[in-house]
Amino acid sequence: MTSRSSRGGSPQSQRARATETRDAILSVARRMFTEAGYHAAGTTEIAARAQLTRGALYHHFADKEALFLAVFRLLAEELAERSRTAVAGLSGDLWTQVVQAFRHYLLLIAAHPDYRRVLLIDGPAVLGWTRWRDLQSDHVASRTADALRLLMEAGLVDRQPEMPLASLIQAALHDAALTMANAPHAPEAREAVMQAFLFVFEGIRRRG
């Protein structure tokens, strides 16, 4: 009869080891996708840096694209959570809170190469524009639509379908973030891009 220890421990310890292994793969893949880019980052080197076999890597992820998608989701969720946390304690009127949320989102992307490379540069190339846009909408446009709905209910923005407007704002956010990240004379140039985005966003505000 095979003992529990020879089978690799209890189901709980096996799940814990599986989670630990998956987290190690994601951590290494995150670094390599950021530093080298998707196409230059090979699964053989990712597995080696994680001190695993390729078989162990493919046990958790069907292929490199599946691994990239997992890293993409991880970073998108992390960025959204950090953005929410940054403005959670803000007080003041609703419009100011929404503007500050956009400011923090842009600053986070501009300051972190992993967000830029995975989410905005390699994301659409690897996943395809339609799938990439849908995934981004889950984390950006949908939350922007929620904010727009609140602004409309408060009478600060004229009523209209929220998602089309949110998608346009999402596109402007991403372009502004990439422009800020590549600005030659930071921080002055970054702030100029920030103000340009906010000037455009201010255009939807209802007057009077």
Side-chain angles (χ1 to χ4, degrees):
M1 183 175 178
T2 304
S3 67
R4 171 175 291 183
S5 60
S6 67
R7 293 198 304 268
S10 67
Q12 292 84 354
S13 63
Q14 291 176 23
R15 285 194 294 271
R17 284 196 299 273
T19 299
E20 183 179 344
T21 299
R22 189 176 188 277
D23 289 345
I25 295 170
L26 288 173
S27 178
V28 171
R30 174 178 182 162
R31 290 197 303 272
M32 290 191 62
F33 287 149
T34 301
E35 295 167 3
Y38 174 81
H39 295 290
T43 54
T44 299
E45 186 175 358
I46 291 173
R49 289 195 184 187
Q51 299 183 326
L52 299 167
T53 64
R54 287 185 72 197
L57 187 152
Y58 287 124
H59 174 74
H60 291 273
F61 303 97
D63 53 28
K64 189 168 78 166
E65 184 176 326
L67 175 57
F68 180 85
L69 177 60
V71 172
F72 184 99
R73 292 183 187 277
L74 174 69
L75 292 177
E77 292 168 2
E78 179 182 294
L79 176 58
E81 181 58 31
R82 292 182 70 174
S83 299
R84 286 194 299 271
T85 301
V87 299
L90 291 180
S91 59
D93 64 272
L94 179 59
W95 182 266
T96 300
Q97 291 178 32
V98 173
V99 167
Q100 288 303 313
F102 284 138
R103 284 185 63 90
H104 282 288
Y105 183 85
L106 286 171
L107 290 171
L108 283 168
I109 294 180
H112 293 83
D114 48 356
Y115 295 153
R116 296 194 304 274
R117 186 63 182 259
V118 174
L119 297 180
L120 302 184
I121 298 174
D122 283 354
V126 175
L127 303 172
W129 186 84
T130 300
R131 189 181 188 191
W132 169 79
R133 187 172 182 271
D134 289 343
L135 287 166
Q136 285 289 65
S137 294
D138 289 342
H139 298 281
V140 182
S142 62
R143 291 183 172 88
T144 301
D146 291 339
L148 290 172
R149 191 174 301 112
L150 292 174
L151 291 171
M152 291 175 193
E153 291 172 354
L156 297 172
V157 174
D158 287 332
R159 286 197 174 274
Q160 57 187 299
E162 300 96 356
M163 276 306 297
L165 181 56
S167 295
L168 291 175
I169 293 172
Q170 173 180 272
L173 269 173
H174 293 161
D175 188 79
L178 289 174
T179 304
M180 287 173 64
N182 292 283
H185 301 296
E188 293 82 3
R190 288 185 177 183
E191 183 60 26
V193 176
M194 174 80 76
Q195 292 305 316
F197 168 80
L198 295 177
F199 176 80
V200 172
F201 180 68
E202 185 76 21
I204 72 170
R205 189 172 186 177
R206 187 177 184 180
R207 303 303 171 186

